[in-house]
């Protein structure tokens, strides 16, 4: 792939750097018809074919179920390769971001529903796995503006165990292998529940941190806006000073009026005393 054509690398003709970080230009320039997207499209096409093969002849023909297992295995293998190719050769596109998780959940959901329909797998197992997958997808969109919940090692183990368990159920196994697939599916269900709860915890923490950061940024912007406003701080000081001056002037005036009243009262008292002494 180091000699990928220009169309696969966005028309620049330059050889992408392996393992390098993806930039905005790389995402925008990658061609829709690249190998990673073609593998994703192939998985989407495999879904109806897989369902037909699994349910053919009543769903209990070992030969047709072997064909269905082959289609399921191809879908799982391409799931491992398309993401790796997209990241390694800078072939990430908006279509791939949307179609890849849809293809993953479509093949797994189709297998689980068909197996439960045939009576090979309890419906509650299908319900738990599908509820978890759809719930985590909604959860990712709920917190996407605050950040991205990274795929954990437990999540990868969950995906691997689910693929192995479902693949074993697709095959018409008997004897010890049929018992083994029961325990593999039990491990897959436990990992599904545990990793799902962990994703919920991460989403709650991420959202709280995001909201706290937004409130802090809003408060900082308000302080900076007040400080940068023309004469904002000076106007506040002037208003405060004017108020204090007015209060002081009012106090002085009140004191002056009180002093005048007291002087008049003293003068009137002196006149009254003088008049009384003259009469005497």
């Amino acid at each position: 792939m180091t000699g990928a054509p220009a169309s696969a690398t966005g028309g620049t003709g330059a050889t992408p750097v392996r393992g390098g970080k993806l930039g905005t230009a790389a995402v925008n320039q990658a061609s829709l018809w690249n190998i990673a997207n073609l593998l994703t499209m192939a998985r989407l096409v495999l879904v109806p074919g897989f369902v037909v093969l699994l349910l053919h002849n009543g769903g209990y023909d070992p030969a047709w179920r072997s064909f269905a297992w082959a289609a399921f295995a191809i879908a799982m293998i391409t799931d491992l390769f398309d993401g790796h190719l997209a990241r390694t050769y800078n072939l990430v596109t908006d279509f791939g971001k949307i179609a890849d998780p849809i293809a993953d959940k479509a093949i797994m959901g189709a297998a689980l529903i068909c197996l439960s329909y045939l009576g090979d797998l309890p419906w509650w197992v299908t319900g738990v796995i599908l509820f978890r997958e759809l719930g985590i997808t909604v959860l990712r969109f709920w917190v996407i503006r605050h950040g991205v919940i990274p795929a954990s090692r437990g999540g990868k183990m969950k995906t691997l165990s689910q693929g192995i368990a479902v693949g074993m159920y697709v095959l018409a196994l008997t004897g010890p292998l049929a018992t083994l697939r029961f325990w593999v599916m039990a491990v897959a269900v436990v990992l599904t529940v545990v990793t799902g709860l962990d994703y919920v915890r991460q989403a709650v923490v991420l959202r709280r941190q995001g909201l706290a950061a937004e409130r802090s940024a809003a408060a900082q912007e308000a302080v900076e806006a007040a400080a940068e406003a023309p004469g904002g701080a000076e106007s506040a000081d002037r208003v405060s000073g004017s108020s204090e001056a007015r209060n002081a002037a009012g106090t002085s005036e009140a004191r002056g009026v009180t002093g005048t009243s007291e002087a008049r009262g003293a003068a009137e008292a002196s006149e009254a005393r003088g008049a009384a002494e003259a009469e005497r």
Side-chain angles (χ1 to χ4, degrees), residues 65-217:
R65 292 189 72 147
S66 297
F67 294 143
W69 177 87
F72 182 81
I74 292 173
M76 292 293 99
I77 292 172
T78 55
D79 180 30
L80 297 176
F81 281 104
D82 60 357
H84 174 73
L85 291 172
R87 291 187 298 270
T88 302
Y89 297 104
N90 292 354
L91 301 177
V92 178
T93 62
D94 291 336
F95 171 81
K97 293 178 182 179
I98 297 173
D100 183 68
I102 292 177
D104 297 343
K105 290 172 176 56
I107 189 68
M108 183 61 67
L112 290 169
I113 292 173
C114 288
L115 290 172
S116 293
Y117 170 77
L118 294 173
D120 294 338
L121 192 66
W123 276 106
W124 71 265
V125 174
T126 296
V128 167
I129 295 177
L130 292 183
F131 178 79
R132 187 270 190 195
E133 298 301 328
L134 295 177
I136 295 303
T137 300
V138 173
L139 202 63
R140 287 180 183 275
F141 281 107
W142 181 53
V143 299
I144 194 169
R145 71 187 185 94
H146 303 296
V148 177
I149 304 176
S152 63
R153 181 174 300 179
K156 295 177 181 178
M157 292 177 60
K158 178 269 306 178
T159 301
L160 179 61
S161 63
Q162 282 184 1
I164 295 174
V166 171
M168 295 179 72
Y169 269 89
V170 170
L171 288 171
L173 300 178
T174 58
L177 290 177
T179 303
L180 177 62
R181 71 182 182 183
F182 168 82
W183 291 108
V184 175
M185 180 59 75
V187 172
V189 171
V190 171
L191 288 174
T192 297
V193 174
V194 172
T195 56
L197 294 175
D198 183 61
Y199 274 119
V200 172
R201 180 191 63 79
Q202 292 185 57
V204 172
V205 171
L206 185 62
R207 188 171 186 273
R208 286 178 179 175
Q209 292 176 346
L211 292 176
E214 288 179 358
R215 287 193 293 266
S216 177

